[in-house]
Amino acid sequence: MEKTATQAITAENLSLTTNIPNNPDASVRLIMSDAQSGVIALSKAVRGMDEVEVNVNVTEQSDGSFKFQGEKNIETTTKAMTDLISSTTVRVEGTITLDGKAEVAVTTAATGNLVKKWNMCDNFVFDKKSKIAHAPFMLNWVSPYADADGQNAGLAAENIQHMGSIIVSGIMVKLLKDVEFKADGSIVANYAKDAEINQDEIISGIFGGGGLLLQRI
């Protein structure tokens, strides 16, 4: 165990599996506290976190290798993110030999308001100035364009963004059924198998039709 008191596991000796796409720069370091416990330091192995340290229990095996496992719950500190993801649990387990070869499995599971299946909305919500506040699709178009007299800067961009949001929203409600944000960070979108969209519906969408409900706040 002395050789693994502080053992950096290099890429060529590391077999790392995660429930998210692997980062090629990910690395692992094992720091032993005593014969039965230690800390696994995960670098670039958890999405959105440069380094995570997880306390692990360590058990020596008959062949001289060591098994370890542990988990850590990490609360979200950013207020904007807390409303969506309240915390993430990082679980780690694996084996390491005295010569530094390791198999490490890392799984992450997030909890929060975002982690669920979201159905595609089918209405527009306009504010008191008749601008779109919420819609199935929101186009953000920025332009400094002004008329010949230098007036109405940005007006063209506002018009494009307004009309584009209406047109694409009318299409999206027919194509996209729902979007699910899973605990492991993956996003799954379910699309309609058959969607018929004709020119009349697109024109109708321009004038606020297209089968979408209109609301005002």
mmCIF file of all heavy atoms in Angstrom, residues 133-164:
data_model
loop_
_atom_site.group_PDB
_atom_site.id
_atom_site.type_symbol
_atom_site.label_atom_id
_atom_site.label_comp_id
_atom_site.label_asym_id
_atom_site.label_seq_id
_atom_site.Cartn_x
_atom_site.Cartn_y
_atom_site.Cartn_z
ATOM 1 N N ALA A 133 -43.073 37.038 -25.525
ATOM 2 C CA ALA A 133 -42.420 36.770 -24.244
ATOM 3 C C ALA A 133 -42.011 35.301 -24.140
ATOM 4 O O ALA A 133 -40.938 34.985 -23.629
ATOM 5 C CB ALA A 133 -43.352 37.137 -23.093
ATOM 6 N N HIS A 134 -42.862 34.392 -24.624
ATOM 7 C CA HIS A 134 -42.574 32.955 -24.614
ATOM 8 C C HIS A 134 -43.118 32.353 -25.904
ATOM 9 O O HIS A 134 -44.176 32.764 -26.393
ATOM 10 C CB HIS A 134 -43.215 32.268 -23.403
ATOM 11 C CG HIS A 134 -42.836 32.866 -22.093
ATOM 12 N ND1 HIS A 134 -41.595 32.675 -21.511
ATOM 13 C CD2 HIS A 134 -43.527 33.669 -21.250
ATOM 14 C CE1 HIS A 134 -41.546 33.332 -20.362
ATOM 15 N NE2 HIS A 134 -42.701 33.942 -20.179
ATOM 16 N N ALA A 135 -42.413 31.366 -26.425
ATOM 17 C CA ALA A 135 -42.848 30.708 -27.660
ATOM 18 C C ALA A 135 -42.121 29.373 -27.780
ATOM 19 O O ALA A 135 -41.096 29.143 -27.120
ATOM 20 C CB ALA A 135 -42.547 31.588 -28.874
ATOM 21 N N PRO A 136 -42.624 28.461 -28.617
ATOM 22 C CA PRO A 136 -41.919 27.187 -28.825
ATOM 23 C C PRO A 136 -40.490 27.388 -29.327
ATOM 24 O O PRO A 136 -39.593 26.626 -28.993
ATOM 25 C CB PRO A 136 -42.778 26.485 -29.873
ATOM 26 C CG PRO A 136 -44.148 27.059 -29.687
ATOM 27 C CD PRO A 136 -43.927 28.491 -29.316
ATOM 28 N N PHE A 137 -40.290 28.434 -30.138
ATOM 29 C CA PHE A 137 -38.953 28.743 -30.659
ATOM 30 C C PHE A 137 -38.748 30.242 -30.572
ATOM 31 O O PHE A 137 -39.603 31.020 -30.968
ATOM 32 C CB PHE A 137 -38.833 28.282 -32.124
ATOM 33 C CG PHE A 137 -37.536 28.687 -32.778
ATOM 34 C CD1 PHE A 137 -36.411 27.887 -32.661
ATOM 35 C CD2 PHE A 137 -37.449 29.870 -33.504
ATOM 36 C CE1 PHE A 137 -35.213 28.260 -33.270
ATOM 37 C CE2 PHE A 137 -36.257 30.246 -34.114
ATOM 38 C CZ PHE A 137 -35.140 29.436 -33.996
ATOM 39 N N MET A 138 -37.595 30.645 -30.038
ATOM 40 C CA MET A 138 -37.285 32.069 -29.917
ATOM 41 C C MET A 138 -36.025 32.376 -30.716
ATOM 42 O O MET A 138 -34.950 31.815 -30.449
ATOM 43 C CB MET A 138 -37.086 32.452 -28.453
ATOM 44 C CG MET A 138 -38.341 32.343 -27.598
ATOM 45 S SD MET A 138 -39.524 33.675 -27.919
ATOM 46 C CE MET A 138 -38.713 35.059 -27.120
ATOM 47 N N LEU A 139 -36.149 33.230 -31.727
ATOM 48 C CA LEU A 139 -35.015 33.646 -32.540
ATOM 49 C C LEU A 139 -34.421 34.923 -31.964
ATOM 50 O O LEU A 139 -35.144 35.880 -31.684
ATOM 51 C CB LEU A 139 -35.467 33.876 -33.990
ATOM 52 C CG LEU A 139 -34.418 34.453 -34.949
ATOM 53 C CD1 LEU A 139 -33.273 33.453 -35.155
ATOM 54 C CD2 LEU A 139 -35.053 34.816 -36.285
ATOM 55 N N ASN A 140 -33.114 34.937 -31.785
ATOM 56 C CA ASN A 140 -32.419 36.129 -31.307
ATOM 57 C C ASN A 140 -31.564 36.663 -32.447
ATOM 58 O O ASN A 140 -30.595 36.036 -32.851
ATOM 59 C CB ASN A 140 -31.547 35.792 -30.090
ATOM 60 C CG ASN A 140 -30.878 37.029 -29.515
ATOM 61 O OD1 ASN A 140 -31.374 38.140 -29.688
ATOM 62 N ND2 ASN A 140 -29.751 36.853 -28.856
ATOM 63 N N TRP A 141 -31.951 37.794 -32.992
ATOM 64 C CA TRP A 141 -31.273 38.362 -34.154
ATOM 65 C C TRP A 141 -30.799 39.771 -33.787
ATOM 66 O O TRP A 141 -31.591 40.620 -33.399
ATOM 67 C CB TRP A 141 -32.241 38.408 -35.347
ATOM 68 C CG TRP A 141 -31.612 38.737 -36.668
ATOM 69 C CD1 TRP A 141 -31.147 39.949 -37.080
ATOM 70 C CD2 TRP A 141 -31.368 37.832 -37.754
ATOM 71 N NE1 TRP A 141 -30.643 39.873 -38.356
ATOM 72 C CE2 TRP A 141 -30.769 38.584 -38.800
ATOM 73 C CE3 TRP A 141 -31.632 36.482 -37.946
ATOM 74 C CZ2 TRP A 141 -30.416 38.005 -40.015
ATOM 75 C CZ3 TRP A 141 -31.273 35.907 -39.155
ATOM 76 C CH2 TRP A 141 -30.672 36.657 -40.173
ATOM 77 N N VAL A 142 -29.494 40.016 -33.918
ATOM 78 C CA VAL A 142 -28.925 41.303 -33.521
ATOM 79 C C VAL A 142 -28.322 41.979 -34.746
ATOM 80 O O VAL A 142 -27.568 41.354 -35.504
ATOM 81 C CB VAL A 142 -27.844 41.126 -32.437
ATOM 82 C CG1 VAL A 142 -27.231 42.468 -32.055
ATOM 83 C CG2 VAL A 142 -28.427 40.432 -31.209
ATOM 84 N N SER A 143 -28.666 43.242 -34.964
ATOM 85 C CA SER A 143 -28.127 43.996 -36.094
ATOM 86 C C SER A 143 -28.135 45.484 -35.765
ATOM 87 O O SER A 143 -29.116 45.992 -35.217
ATOM 88 C CB SER A 143 -28.943 43.726 -37.361
ATOM 89 O OG SER A 143 -28.524 44.597 -38.410
ATOM 90 N N PRO A 144 -27.067 46.221 -36.131
ATOM 91 C CA PRO A 144 -27.038 47.677 -35.894
ATOM 92 C C PRO A 144 -27.665 48.455 -37.051
ATOM 93 O O PRO A 144 -27.597 49.681 -37.091
ATOM 94 C CB PRO A 144 -25.529 47.950 -35.785
ATOM 95 C CG PRO A 144 -24.921 46.947 -36.731
ATOM 96 C CD PRO A 144 -25.783 45.709 -36.622
ATOM 97 N N TYR A 145 -28.274 47.760 -38.009
ATOM 98 C CA TYR A 145 -28.812 48.408 -39.208
ATOM 99 C C TYR A 145 -29.785 49.539 -38.865
ATOM 100 O O TYR A 145 -30.649 49.393 -38.006
ATOM 101 C CB TYR A 145 -29.520 47.375 -40.082
ATOM 102 C CG TYR A 145 -30.212 47.971 -41.292
ATOM 103 C CD1 TYR A 145 -29.485 48.290 -42.435
ATOM 104 C CD2 TYR A 145 -31.578 48.242 -41.258
ATOM 105 C CE1 TYR A 145 -30.116 48.847 -43.535
ATOM 106 C CE2 TYR A 145 -32.209 48.800 -42.357
ATOM 107 C CZ TYR A 145 -31.482 49.110 -43.485
ATOM 108 O OH TYR A 145 -32.110 49.661 -44.564
ATOM 109 N N ALA A 146 -29.630 50.674 -39.553
ATOM 110 C CA ALA A 146 -30.542 51.808 -39.394
ATOM 111 C C ALA A 146 -30.942 52.295 -40.780
ATOM 112 O O ALA A 146 -30.328 51.937 -41.788
ATOM 113 C CB ALA A 146 -29.875 52.925 -38.602
ATOM 114 N N ASP A 147 -31.974 53.131 -40.840
ATOM 115 C CA ASP A 147 -32.414 53.635 -42.153
ATOM 116 C C ASP A 147 -31.468 54.734 -42.637
ATOM 117 O O ASP A 147 -30.468 55.064 -41.991
ATOM 118 C CB ASP A 147 -33.866 54.111 -42.088
ATOM 119 C CG ASP A 147 -34.074 55.221 -41.064
ATOM 120 O OD1 ASP A 147 -33.112 55.952 -40.779
ATOM 121 O OD2 ASP A 147 -35.199 55.349 -40.553
ATOM 122 N N ALA A 148 -31.798 55.312 -43.797
ATOM 123 C CA ALA A 148 -30.915 56.294 -44.428
ATOM 124 C C ALA A 148 -30.684 57.527 -43.564
ATOM 125 O O ALA A 148 -29.652 58.196 -43.684
ATOM 126 C CB ALA A 148 -31.485 56.699 -45.787
ATOM 127 N N ASP A 149 -31.624 57.814 -42.694
ATOM 128 C CA ASP A 149 -31.492 58.971 -41.810
ATOM 129 C C ASP A 149 -30.865 58.617 -40.469
ATOM 130 O O ASP A 149 -30.808 59.453 -39.562
ATOM 131 C CB ASP A 149 -32.859 59.610 -41.579
ATOM 132 C CG ASP A 149 -33.467 60.157 -42.870
ATOM 133 O OD1 ASP A 149 -32.692 60.658 -43.713
ATOM 134 O OD2 ASP A 149 -34.699 60.046 -43.026
ATOM 135 N N GLY A 150 -30.419 57.352 -40.355
ATOM 136 C CA GLY A 150 -29.803 56.929 -39.109
ATOM 137 C C GLY A 150 -30.792 56.644 -38.009
ATOM 138 O O GLY A 150 -30.413 56.565 -36.836
ATOM 139 N N GLN A 151 -32.059 56.490 -38.376
ATOM 140 C CA GLN A 151 -33.099 56.234 -37.393
ATOM 141 C C GLN A 151 -33.460 54.749 -37.346
ATOM 142 O O GLN A 151 -33.118 53.970 -38.223
ATOM 143 C CB GLN A 151 -34.353 57.060 -37.723
ATOM 144 C CG GLN A 151 -34.107 58.561 -37.791
ATOM 145 C CD GLN A 151 -33.639 59.128 -36.467
ATOM 146 O OE1 GLN A 151 -34.191 58.799 -35.419
ATOM 147 N NE2 GLN A 151 -32.613 59.971 -36.515
ATOM 148 N N ASN A 152 -34.174 54.385 -36.298
ATOM 149 C CA ASN A 152 -34.712 53.025 -36.141
ATOM 150 C C ASN A 152 -33.624 51.942 -36.154
ATOM 151 O O ASN A 152 -33.798 50.881 -36.743
ATOM 152 C CB ASN A 152 -35.736 52.721 -37.237
ATOM 153 C CG ASN A 152 -36.925 53.642 -37.164
ATOM 154 O OD1 ASN A 152 -37.436 53.935 -36.077
ATOM 155 N ND2 ASN A 152 -37.368 54.131 -38.316
ATOM 156 N N ALA A 153 -32.509 52.230 -35.527
ATOM 157 C CA ALA A 153 -31.443 51.216 -35.441
ATOM 158 C C ALA A 153 -31.958 49.972 -34.733
ATOM 159 O O ALA A 153 -32.570 50.052 -33.672
ATOM 160 C CB ALA A 153 -30.247 51.800 -34.683
ATOM 161 N N GLY A 154 -31.719 48.835 -35.346
ATOM 162 C CA GLY A 154 -32.127 47.566 -34.743
ATOM 163 C C GLY A 154 -33.542 47.160 -35.062
ATOM 164 O O GLY A 154 -33.962 46.046 -34.728
ATOM 165 N N LEU A 155 -34.313 48.041 -35.719
ATOM 166 C CA LEU A 155 -35.706 47.718 -36.007
ATOM 167 C C LEU A 155 -35.821 46.524 -36.948
ATOM 168 O O LEU A 155 -36.675 45.646 -36.761
ATOM 169 C CB LEU A 155 -36.424 48.928 -36.609
ATOM 170 C CG LEU A 155 -37.914 48.733 -36.945
ATOM 171 C CD1 LEU A 155 -38.686 48.383 -35.676
ATOM 172 C CD2 LEU A 155 -38.490 49.983 -37.603
ATOM 173 N N ALA A 156 -34.941 46.462 -37.955
ATOM 174 C CA ALA A 156 -34.975 45.336 -38.891
ATOM 175 C C ALA A 156 -34.719 44.026 -38.158
ATOM 176 O O ALA A 156 -35.376 43.013 -38.416
ATOM 177 C CB ALA A 156 -33.934 45.539 -39.994
ATOM 178 N N ALA A 157 -33.773 44.048 -37.229
ATOM 179 C CA ALA A 157 -33.470 42.840 -36.458
ATOM 180 C C ALA A 157 -34.661 42.419 -35.617
ATOM 181 O O ALA A 157 -34.976 41.234 -35.506
ATOM 182 C CB ALA A 157 -32.238 43.081 -35.576
ATOM 183 N N GLU A 158 -35.353 43.385 -35.025
ATOM 184 C CA GLU A 158 -36.532 43.069 -34.212
ATOM 185 C C GLU A 158 -37.621 42.429 -35.057
ATOM 186 O O GLU A 158 -38.281 41.478 -34.640
ATOM 187 C CB GLU A 158 -37.065 44.344 -33.545
ATOM 188 C CG GLU A 158 -36.190 44.858 -32.400
ATOM 189 C CD GLU A 158 -36.831 46.050 -31.703
ATOM 190 O OE1 GLU A 158 -38.024 46.316 -31.963
ATOM 191 O OE2 GLU A 158 -36.140 46.705 -30.909
ATOM 192 N N ASN A 159 -37.814 42.961 -36.272
ATOM 193 C CA ASN A 159 -38.835 42.404 -37.156
ATOM 194 C C ASN A 159 -38.478 40.977 -37.578
ATOM 195 O O ASN A 159 -39.340 40.094 -37.597
ATOM 196 C CB ASN A 159 -39.001 43.286 -38.391
ATOM 197 C CG ASN A 159 -39.647 44.622 -38.057
ATOM 198 O OD1 ASN A 159 -40.358 44.735 -37.064
ATOM 199 N ND2 ASN A 159 -39.386 45.634 -38.875
ATOM 200 N N ILE A 160 -37.205 40.759 -37.926
ATOM 201 C CA ILE A 160 -36.767 39.416 -38.332
ATOM 202 C C ILE A 160 -36.929 38.440 -37.181
ATOM 203 O O ILE A 160 -37.408 37.325 -37.342
ATOM 204 C CB ILE A 160 -35.301 39.463 -38.810
ATOM 205 C CG1 ILE A 160 -35.199 40.250 -40.113
ATOM 206 C CG2 ILE A 160 -34.751 38.047 -39.007
ATOM 207 C CD1 ILE A 160 -33.773 40.505 -40.561
ATOM 208 N N GLN A 161 -36.544 38.866 -36.005
ATOM 209 C CA GLN A 161 -36.630 37.995 -34.838
ATOM 210 C C GLN A 161 -38.078 37.670 -34.494
ATOM 211 O O GLN A 161 -38.420 36.540 -34.157
ATOM 212 C CB GLN A 161 -35.852 38.694 -33.735
ATOM 213 C CG GLN A 161 -36.295 38.672 -32.387
ATOM 214 C CD GLN A 161 -35.319 39.384 -31.440
ATOM 215 O OE1 GLN A 161 -34.109 39.331 -31.564
ATOM 216 N NE2 GLN A 161 -35.857 40.041 -30.467
ATOM 217 N N HIS A 162 -38.979 38.648 -34.639
ATOM 218 C CA HIS A 162 -40.392 38.436 -34.350
ATOM 219 C C HIS A 162 -41.004 37.466 -35.363
ATOM 220 O O HIS A 162 -41.630 36.468 -34.980
ATOM 221 C CB HIS A 162 -41.129 39.771 -34.383
ATOM 222 C CG HIS A 162 -42.591 39.671 -34.046
ATOM 223 N ND1 HIS A 162 -43.049 39.677 -32.755
ATOM 224 C CD2 HIS A 162 -43.688 39.542 -34.847
ATOM 225 C CE1 HIS A 162 -44.370 39.576 -32.756
ATOM 226 N NE2 HIS A 162 -44.779 39.491 -34.019
ATOM 227 N N MET A 163 -40.812 37.739 -36.645
ATOM 228 C CA MET A 163 -41.411 36.903 -37.673
ATOM 229 C C MET A 163 -40.766 35.514 -37.694
ATOM 230 O O MET A 163 -41.453 34.503 -37.849
ATOM 231 C CB MET A 163 -41.265 37.564 -39.047
ATOM 232 C CG MET A 163 -41.888 38.943 -39.125
ATOM 233 S SD MET A 163 -43.615 38.987 -38.569
ATOM 234 C CE MET A 163 -44.379 37.992 -39.826
ATOM 235 N N GLY A 164 -39.447 35.469 -37.511
ATOM 236 C CA GLY A 164 -38.760 34.177 -37.502
ATOM 237 C C GLY A 164 -39.230 33.287 -36.365
ATOM 238 O O GLY A 164 -39.419 32.076 -36.540
#
